[in-house]
Amino acid sequence: NAGVMQNPRHLVRRRGQEARLRCSPMKGHSHVYWYRQLPEEGLKFMVYLQKENIIDESGMPKERFSAEFPKEGPSILRIQQVVRGDSAAYFCASSPSPVAGGLGDTQYFGPGTRLTVL
Amino acid sequence: GQNIDQPTEMTATEGAIVQINCTYQTSGFNGLFWYQQHAGEAPTFLSYNVLDGLEEKGRFSSFLSRSKGYSYLLLKELQMKDSASYLCAVRPLGGSSYKLIFGSGTRLLVRP
C-alpha cells in the first residue's frame, strides 16, 4: 500500500528557471493538497485539487505559481521564474474525501520536495 | 485570526514521559491533528481529536479541551526514535475545512 509519492526529493534551480514538482496520491485518493514549509515555520496551505479541477488556490501566490491534477498522471506544482524566496519544502497530501468529517478525510503526506534556488 | 502555538524545542530522557502542548485560536474548529515528522521525511499522522477528552493509542495519547483552545500530545516510555518534530494542526469549520492550519512544530530530542 504505497503512500503519497513525490519527486524529485531535492531540486536545485537557478533564479529565473522553472521548477516542476510532482505528486502521486495514495491509491484510492482523489483529493490532493499542496503545502509549503519555510524554515522554522509551519506548513502553509497552497492549493486543493481534485481530478481535472482546482477547487481552492487561495494560498498560492497569484503570479508564477500554478497547479494541475490531470485525469491521468500525477499532480504537478509548477513555479515559473523562480526566485530565492521560493526556496522551501513543498509537501503534497492526499485524502479520500475532504470534508466527510471525522477521520475519513485525514490528509496523508508525501516526503516533500526540497527546492533550493541559487 | 488564526494562531497556533507550540513550544519550539523540548528535550527528554529515554524511558521518560513528555507532554507537548498546543494552544490554538482559530475562526471555527472542526478537529485537531497531531503529526510526527522526522527530519527530511513526510509528516505522519498520529492522532485526531474532535471531542473533549483523551484519546489513547499505544505509547501516544492526545488530549483536547475545546473551551480552552488547548491540546497536548503525551508520549510515554520514550525511545530514541521518538526524536522528531511534532506538528499540531487544526481543521477549521465550514467549507474550507480541508485547509489545515499548522503550528510551527515542536522539535523533541530524546537523550539516552
Side-chain angles (χ1 to χ4, degrees), chain A residues 34-49:
Chain A
W34 286 91
Y35 290 81
R36 178 162 65 175
Q37 186 177 36
L38 295 169
E40 307 301 321
E41 293 188 17
L43 280 77
K44 298 281 196 294
F45 169 84
M46 297 181 74
V47 61
Y48 159 42
L49 309 104

PDB file of all heavy atoms in Angstrom, chain A residues 34-49:
ATOM      1  N   TRP A  34      -1.516  20.835  -1.688  1.00  0.00           N
ATOM      2  CA  TRP A  34      -0.113  21.234  -1.641  1.00  0.00           C
ATOM      3  C   TRP A  34       0.080  22.225  -0.497  1.00  0.00           C
ATOM      4  O   TRP A  34      -0.725  23.151  -0.312  1.00  0.00           O
ATOM      5  CB  TRP A  34       0.322  21.884  -2.956  1.00  0.00           C
ATOM      6  CG  TRP A  34       0.503  20.922  -4.096  1.00  0.00           C
ATOM      7  CD1 TRP A  34      -0.439  20.548  -5.017  1.00  0.00           C
ATOM      8  CD2 TRP A  34       1.706  20.226  -4.455  1.00  0.00           C
ATOM      9  NE1 TRP A  34       0.100  19.663  -5.919  1.00  0.00           N
ATOM     10  CE2 TRP A  34       1.410  19.454  -5.606  1.00  0.00           C
ATOM     11  CE3 TRP A  34       2.999  20.187  -3.933  1.00  0.00           C
ATOM     12  CZ2 TRP A  34       2.368  18.658  -6.234  1.00  0.00           C
ATOM     13  CZ3 TRP A  34       3.939  19.396  -4.560  1.00  0.00           C
ATOM     14  CH2 TRP A  34       3.627  18.639  -5.687  1.00  0.00           C
ATOM     15  N   TYR A  35       1.184  22.013   0.245  1.00  0.00           N
ATOM     16  CA  TYR A  35       1.558  22.901   1.336  1.00  0.00           C
ATOM     17  C   TYR A  35       3.012  23.310   1.136  1.00  0.00           C
ATOM     18  O   TYR A  35       3.810  22.568   0.567  1.00  0.00           O
ATOM     19  CB  TYR A  35       1.453  22.182   2.698  1.00  0.00           C
ATOM     20  CG  TYR A  35       0.049  21.877   3.164  1.00  0.00           C
ATOM     21  CD1 TYR A  35      -0.641  20.772   2.675  1.00  0.00           C
ATOM     22  CD2 TYR A  35      -0.572  22.678   4.122  1.00  0.00           C
ATOM     23  CE1 TYR A  35      -1.926  20.475   3.129  1.00  0.00           C
ATOM     24  CE2 TYR A  35      -1.855  22.390   4.578  1.00  0.00           C
ATOM     25  CZ  TYR A  35      -2.514  21.291   4.069  1.00  0.00           C
ATOM     26  OH  TYR A  35      -3.792  21.010   4.523  1.00  0.00           O
ATOM     27  N   ARG A  36       3.355  24.469   1.656  1.00  0.00           N
ATOM     28  CA  ARG A  36       4.747  24.933   1.625  1.00  0.00           C
ATOM     29  C   ARG A  36       5.231  25.113   3.057  1.00  0.00           C
ATOM     30  O   ARG A  36       4.490  25.620   3.919  1.00  0.00           O
ATOM     31  CB  ARG A  36       4.841  26.255   0.863  1.00  0.00           C
ATOM     32  CG  ARG A  36       6.248  26.829   0.828  1.00  0.00           C
ATOM     33  CD  ARG A  36       6.429  27.867  -0.239  1.00  0.00           C
ATOM     34  NE  ARG A  36       5.636  29.067  -0.022  1.00  0.00           N
ATOM     35  CZ  ARG A  36       5.720  30.143  -0.792  1.00  0.00           C
ATOM     36  NH1 ARG A  36       6.554  30.179  -1.822  1.00  0.00           N
ATOM     37  NH2 ARG A  36       4.966  31.194  -0.551  1.00  0.00           N
ATOM     38  N   GLN A  37       6.466  24.715   3.288  1.00  0.00           N
ATOM     39  CA  GLN A  37       7.061  24.863   4.620  1.00  0.00           C
ATOM     40  C   GLN A  37       8.358  25.625   4.499  1.00  0.00           C
ATOM     41  O   GLN A  37       9.337  25.120   3.949  1.00  0.00           O
ATOM     42  CB  GLN A  37       7.296  23.492   5.264  1.00  0.00           C
ATOM     43  CG  GLN A  37       7.782  23.559   6.703  1.00  0.00           C
ATOM     44  CD  GLN A  37       7.928  22.178   7.322  1.00  0.00           C
ATOM     45  OE1 GLN A  37       8.315  21.217   6.664  1.00  0.00           O
ATOM     46  NE2 GLN A  37       7.605  22.064   8.603  1.00  0.00           N
ATOM     47  N   LEU A  38       8.369  26.833   5.037  1.00  0.00           N
ATOM     48  CA  LEU A  38       9.589  27.621   5.098  1.00  0.00           C
ATOM     49  C   LEU A  38      10.352  27.232   6.361  1.00  0.00           C
ATOM     50  O   LEU A  38       9.739  26.740   7.324  1.00  0.00           O
ATOM     51  CB  LEU A  38       9.254  29.109   5.106  1.00  0.00           C
ATOM     52  CG  LEU A  38       8.598  29.630   3.813  1.00  0.00           C
ATOM     53  CD1 LEU A  38       8.065  31.042   4.010  1.00  0.00           C
ATOM     54  CD2 LEU A  38       9.583  29.590   2.665  1.00  0.00           C
ATOM     55  N   PRO A  39      11.659  27.443   6.392  1.00  0.00           N
ATOM     56  CA  PRO A  39      12.447  27.080   7.576  1.00  0.00           C
ATOM     57  C   PRO A  39      11.864  27.683   8.852  1.00  0.00           C
ATOM     58  O   PRO A  39      11.500  28.859   8.878  1.00  0.00           O
ATOM     59  CB  PRO A  39      13.829  27.661   7.262  1.00  0.00           C
ATOM     60  CG  PRO A  39      13.890  27.698   5.776  1.00  0.00           C
ATOM     61  CD  PRO A  39      12.493  28.007   5.317  1.00  0.00           C
ATOM     62  N   GLU A  40      11.759  26.877   9.865  1.00  0.00           N
ATOM     63  CA  GLU A  40      11.289  27.305  11.185  1.00  0.00           C
ATOM     64  C   GLU A  40       9.826  27.755  11.181  1.00  0.00           C
ATOM     65  O   GLU A  40       9.374  28.413  12.118  1.00  0.00           O
ATOM     66  CB  GLU A  40      12.157  28.448  11.754  1.00  0.00           C
ATOM     67  CG  GLU A  40      13.646  28.161  11.772  1.00  0.00           C
ATOM     68  CD  GLU A  40      13.999  26.922  12.584  1.00  0.00           C
ATOM     69  OE1 GLU A  40      13.380  26.701  13.644  1.00  0.00           O
ATOM     70  OE2 GLU A  40      14.882  26.151  12.147  1.00  0.00           O
ATOM     71  N   GLU A  41       9.084  27.427  10.151  1.00  0.00           N
ATOM     72  CA  GLU A  41       7.666  27.784  10.102  1.00  0.00           C
ATOM     73  C   GLU A  41       6.812  26.546   9.893  1.00  0.00           C
ATOM     74  O   GLU A  41       7.302  25.485   9.499  1.00  0.00           O
ATOM     75  CB  GLU A  41       7.407  28.786   8.967  1.00  0.00           C
ATOM     76  CG  GLU A  41       8.045  30.146   9.187  1.00  0.00           C
ATOM     77  CD  GLU A  41       7.604  31.153   8.153  1.00  0.00           C
ATOM     78  OE1 GLU A  41       6.582  30.911   7.470  1.00  0.00           O
ATOM     79  OE2 GLU A  41       8.278  32.185   8.019  1.00  0.00           O
ATOM     80  N   GLY A  42       5.521  26.696  10.169  1.00  0.00           N
ATOM     81  CA  GLY A  42       4.591  25.594   9.948  1.00  0.00           C
ATOM     82  C   GLY A  42       4.245  25.440   8.485  1.00  0.00           C
ATOM     83  O   GLY A  42       4.514  26.310   7.668  1.00  0.00           O
ATOM     84  N   LEU A  43       3.629  24.330   8.162  1.00  0.00           N
ATOM     85  CA  LEU A  43       3.164  24.115   6.797  1.00  0.00           C
ATOM     86  C   LEU A  43       2.024  25.085   6.495  1.00  0.00           C
ATOM     87  O   LEU A  43       1.134  25.286   7.315  1.00  0.00           O
ATOM     88  CB  LEU A  43       2.649  22.681   6.615  1.00  0.00           C
ATOM     89  CG  LEU A  43       3.677  21.587   6.410  1.00  0.00           C
ATOM     90  CD1 LEU A  43       4.341  21.205   7.710  1.00  0.00           C
ATOM     91  CD2 LEU A  43       3.007  20.355   5.794  1.00  0.00           C
ATOM     92  N   LYS A  44       2.064  25.668   5.305  1.00  0.00           N
ATOM     93  CA  LYS A  44       1.030  26.623   4.887  1.00  0.00           C
ATOM     94  C   LYS A  44       0.317  26.081   3.660  1.00  0.00           C
ATOM     95  O   LYS A  44       0.959  25.723   2.669  1.00  0.00           O
ATOM     96  CB  LYS A  44       1.647  27.989   4.564  1.00  0.00           C
ATOM     97  CG  LYS A  44       2.341  28.664   5.731  1.00  0.00           C
ATOM     98  CD  LYS A  44       1.354  29.320   6.671  1.00  0.00           C
ATOM     99  CE  LYS A  44       2.013  30.308   7.624  1.00  0.00           C
ATOM    100  NZ  LYS A  44       2.925  29.706   8.582  1.00  0.00           N
ATOM    101  N   PHE A  45      -0.997  26.054   3.735  1.00  0.00           N
ATOM    102  CA  PHE A  45      -1.816  25.575   2.628  1.00  0.00           C
ATOM    103  C   PHE A  45      -1.611  26.429   1.390  1.00  0.00           C
ATOM    104  O   PHE A  45      -1.564  27.661   1.461  1.00  0.00           O
ATOM    105  CB  PHE A  45      -3.289  25.631   3.041  1.00  0.00           C
ATOM    106  CG  PHE A  45      -4.262  25.404   1.911  1.00  0.00           C
ATOM    107  CD1 PHE A  45      -4.602  24.119   1.528  1.00  0.00           C
ATOM    108  CD2 PHE A  45      -4.830  26.475   1.235  1.00  0.00           C
ATOM    109  CE1 PHE A  45      -5.502  23.904   0.495  1.00  0.00           C
ATOM    110  CE2 PHE A  45      -5.724  26.266   0.206  1.00  0.00           C
ATOM    111  CZ  PHE A  45      -6.067  24.987  -0.174  1.00  0.00           C
ATOM    112  N   MET A  46      -1.491  25.743   0.246  1.00  0.00           N
ATOM    113  CA  MET A  46      -1.366  26.467  -1.017  1.00  0.00           C
ATOM    114  C   MET A  46      -2.585  26.249  -1.919  1.00  0.00           C
ATOM    115  O   MET A  46      -3.236  27.194  -2.345  1.00  0.00           O
ATOM    116  CB  MET A  46      -0.112  26.021  -1.771  1.00  0.00           C
ATOM    117  CG  MET A  46       1.184  26.308  -1.062  1.00  0.00           C
ATOM    118  SD  MET A  46       2.593  25.771  -2.025  1.00  0.00           S
ATOM    119  CE  MET A  46       2.626  27.025  -3.298  1.00  0.00           C
ATOM    120  N   VAL A  47      -2.885  24.965  -2.196  1.00  0.00           N
ATOM    121  CA  VAL A  47      -3.915  24.694  -3.197  1.00  0.00           C
ATOM    122  C   VAL A  47      -4.522  23.319  -2.951  1.00  0.00           C
ATOM    123  O   VAL A  47      -3.857  22.422  -2.431  1.00  0.00           O
ATOM    124  CB  VAL A  47      -3.311  24.788  -4.626  1.00  0.00           C
ATOM    125  CG1 VAL A  47      -2.194  23.765  -4.822  1.00  0.00           C
ATOM    126  CG2 VAL A  47      -4.359  24.640  -5.712  1.00  0.00           C
ATOM    127  N   TYR A  48      -5.800  23.194  -3.325  1.00  0.00           N
ATOM    128  CA  TYR A  48      -6.531  21.925  -3.202  1.00  0.00           C
ATOM    129  C   TYR A  48      -7.091  21.574  -4.583  1.00  0.00           C
ATOM    130  O   TYR A  48      -7.745  22.408  -5.225  1.00  0.00           O
ATOM    131  CB  TYR A  48      -7.624  22.078  -2.162  1.00  0.00           C
ATOM    132  CG  TYR A  48      -8.764  21.093  -2.218  1.00  0.00           C
ATOM    133  CD1 TYR A  48      -8.550  19.740  -2.451  1.00  0.00           C
ATOM    134  CD2 TYR A  48     -10.066  21.524  -1.997  1.00  0.00           C
ATOM    135  CE1 TYR A  48      -9.607  18.850  -2.483  1.00  0.00           C
ATOM    136  CE2 TYR A  48     -11.131  20.644  -2.028  1.00  0.00           C
ATOM    137  CZ  TYR A  48     -10.902  19.304  -2.277  1.00  0.00           C
ATOM    138  OH  TYR A  48     -11.942  18.436  -2.314  1.00  0.00           O
ATOM    139  N   LEU A  49      -6.829  20.345  -5.016  1.00  0.00           N
ATOM    140  CA  LEU A  49      -7.270  19.928  -6.344  1.00  0.00           C
ATOM    141  C   LEU A  49      -7.972  18.578  -6.283  1.00  0.00           C
ATOM    142  O   LEU A  49      -7.646  17.733  -5.453  1.00  0.00           O
ATOM    143  CB  LEU A  49      -6.075  19.769  -7.300  1.00  0.00           C
ATOM    144  CG  LEU A  49      -5.077  20.906  -7.423  1.00  0.00           C
ATOM    145  CD1 LEU A  49      -3.789  20.581  -6.682  1.00  0.00           C
ATOM    146  CD2 LEU A  49      -4.763  21.184  -8.873  1.00  0.00           C
TER     147      LEU A  49
END
